[in-house]
């Protein structure tokens, strides 16, 4: 389903300032001995020599702290290592793609040898439809329940919370970095099926469903990209409803953050939202377990989207 990140989503944050508030003048008094390096607002400057023990008064402007409900700016570093693909990431993506292609090949070969095409094709269609539903259920779950300390899913939960605050950073992740966690899960699930079964109908379902799940994070990233930056084929598939559209997914990133969870094609979103399926699940969990979903108390500063600002330096 929609597992993000592998790495914690909090990127190399350099400075957070409130762009709506003017800087506040402040006096700094410090004692110097010979040459002193003073770091102010993230920059290091060298002061001239003074007599040992001399007090120096320096007037500077500093930004006020963030005000709740105000827009804020998030600075990130170009080429941040947490956004890059490693050879380990690429290996897992290659492994996931290989297992999916083997399953698809077994479906095609089996259908050709048995001269049955309708059943494997229908199974593939069901796999495509259920992959979208699965992405929505998983997305709803990790958006609303658990935290960074949750076993197994903690990293993914933390990543999705960060995604609400900085949604545009998913477009900065390199391909394998964005997909490797899903590809790893697909490898472990699909490889045993490839070894144990040869039924073309089963593999028609497995290959398409697992493939859509593995690439759901790429579909998700495309839903955050500008139309002008996307390949024409991707735009056409989004417009046709075959992939989740930018307009549909953007509604998920607006208050109250409790709709449009599906991120493969989005075909389930309208039905699930109109019938309030997830709200019913939330009520059941609340009355049975006493657990409140996160969407009941949002929005707050944790999910308030910040403005994209790129720090014009590169990470080492």
């Amino acid at each position: 389903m929609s597992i993000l990140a592998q790495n914690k989503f909090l990127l190399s944050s350099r400075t957070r300032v409130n762009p709506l508030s003017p800087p506040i003048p402040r006096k700094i008094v410090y004692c110097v001995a010979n040459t002193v390096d003073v770091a102010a607002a993230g920059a290091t400057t060298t002061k001239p020599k003074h007599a040992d023990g001399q007090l120096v008064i320096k007037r500077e402007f500093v930004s006020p702290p963030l005000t709740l409900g105000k827009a804020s700016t998030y600075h990130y570093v170009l080429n941040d290592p947490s956004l890059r693909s490693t050879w380990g990431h690429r290996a897992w993506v290659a492994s996931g793609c290989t297992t999916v292609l083997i399953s698809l090949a077994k479906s095609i070969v089996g259908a050709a040898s048995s001269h049955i095409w309708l059943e494997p094709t229908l199974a593939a269609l069901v796999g495509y439809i259920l992959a979208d539903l699965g992405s929505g259920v998983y997305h709803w779950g990790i958006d609303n329940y658990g935290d960074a300390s949750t076993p197994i899913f903690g990293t993914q939960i933390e990543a999705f919370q960060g995604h609400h605050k900085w949604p545009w950073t998913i477009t900065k992740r390199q391909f394998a970095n964005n997909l490797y966690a899903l590809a790893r899960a697909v490898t472990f699930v699909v490889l045993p099926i490839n070894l144990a079964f040869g039924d073309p109908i089963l593999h028609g379902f497995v290959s398409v469903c697992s493939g859509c799940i593995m690439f759901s994070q790429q579909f998700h990233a495309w839903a955050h990209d500008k139309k002008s930056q996307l390949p024409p084929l991707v735009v056409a598939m989004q417009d046709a409803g075959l992939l989740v559209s930018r307009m549909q997914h953007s509604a998920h990133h607006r208050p109250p953050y409790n709709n449009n969870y599906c991120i493969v094609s989005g075909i389930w979103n309208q039905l699930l939202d109109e019938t309030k399926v997830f709200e019913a699940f939330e009520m059941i969990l609340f009355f049975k377990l006493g657990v409140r979903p996160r969407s009941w108390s949002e929005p707050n500063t944790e999910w308030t989207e910040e403005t994209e600002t790129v720090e014009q330096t590169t990470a080492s």
Side-chain angles (χ1 to χ4, degrees):
M1 303 49 177
S2 163
I3 308 172
L4 210 154
Q6 37 294 8
N7 299 309
K8 291 186 177 179
F9 204 83
L10 301 180
L11 306 179
S12 305
S13 180
R14 292 293 188 264
T15 308
R16 295 186 188 182
V17 298
N18 187 343
L20 302 181
S21 302
I24 300 172
R26 181 177 72 180
K27 287 185 179 180
I28 297 178
V29 180
Y30 54 91
C31 180
V32 297
N34 297 325
T35 301
V36 180
D37 287 339
V38 179
T44 300
T45 56
T46 302
K47 306 299 295 180
K49 293 182 178 180
H50 300 275
D52 289 351
Q54 179 181 345
L55 291 181
V56 178
I57 298 177
K58 179 178 182 294
R59 182 180 178 87
E60 66 176 16
F61 289 87
V62 297
S63 297
L66 289 176
T67 302
L68 293 182
K70 298 288 187 179
S72 55
T73 302
Y74 178 71
H75 296 260
Y76 71 97
V77 180
L78 286 173
N79 298 322
D80 190 293
S82 68
L83 304 178
R84 300 175 187 167
S85 297
T86 66
W87 285 109
H89 297 163
R90 297 183 184 101
W92 279 118
V93 171
S95 175
C97 289
T98 300
T99 56
V100 168
L101 289 175
I102 290 174
S103 180
L104 180 61
K106 294 187 78 167
S107 178
I108 294 173
V109 171
S113 61
S114 60
H115 303 289
I116 56 168
W117 293 100
L118 180 60
E119 292 85 347
T121 302
L122 290 176
L125 179 60
V126 171
Y128 166 72
I129 294 172
L130 290 184
D132 187 58
L133 177 61
S135 74
V137 172
Y138 193 86
H139 189 176
W140 163 76
I142 63 176
D143 258 13
N144 285 284
Y145 299 99
D147 54 32
S149 63
T150 301
I152 302 176
F153 304 104
T155 301
Q156 299 154 27
I157 292 169
E158 185 180 28
F160 265 83
Q161 301 316 302
H163 175 66
H164 275 273
K165 200 168 186 66
W166 306 291
W168 33 265
T169 54
I170 194 174
T171 66
K172 313 300 180 184
R173 288 189 178 278
Q174 293 183 349
F175 178 76
N177 180 294
N178 199 25
L179 300 188
Y180 86 88
L182 284 165
R184 180 170 54 194
V186 164
T187 298
F188 288 132
V189 172
V190 177
L191 181 58
I193 296 175
N194 287 343
L195 297 175
F197 302 100
D199 181 57
I201 299 175
L202 173 64
H203 282 290
F205 171 83
V206 168
S207 61
V208 174
C209 185
S210 61
C212 288
I213 289 172
M214 183 171 67
F215 282 94
S216 63
Q217 272 301 101
Q218 186 58 52
F219 305 155
H220 186 189
W222 285 334
H224 283 281
D225 252 324
K226 296 178 181 178
K227 185 175 182 178
S228 59
Q229 297 174 332
L230 293 172
L233 178 60
V234 171
V235 175
M237 294 179 73
Q238 288 178 337
D239 291 344
L242 297 175
L243 297 179
V244 63
S245 68
R246 301 174 307 284
M247 181 178 296
Q248 186 182 79
H249 187 64
S250 67
H252 177 70
H253 287 272
R254 293 194 295 268
Y257 309 102
N258 63 354
N259 54 56
N260 292 280
Y261 287 106
C262 302
I263 57 172
V264 173
S265 63
I267 58 175
W268 285 92
N269 281 329
Q270 184 175 356
L271 176 63
L272 292 172
D273 295 340
E274 289 180 352
T275 57
K276 301 187 183 301
V277 170
F278 291 129
E279 292 184 25
F281 286 163
E282 291 166 1
M283 293 297 291
I284 292 171
L285 290 173
F286 177 69
F287 285 115
K288 292 290 185 180
L289 303 176
V291 180
R292 293 172 60 88
R294 200 170 282 109
S295 61
W296 288 9
S297 57
E298 301 297 347
N300 62 25
T301 54
E302 293 303 314
W303 276 12
T304 303
E305 182 176 340
E306 294 190 349
T307 306
E308 175 182 3
T309 302
V310 181
E311 188 169 315
Q312 298 298 327
T313 58
T314 57
S316 57

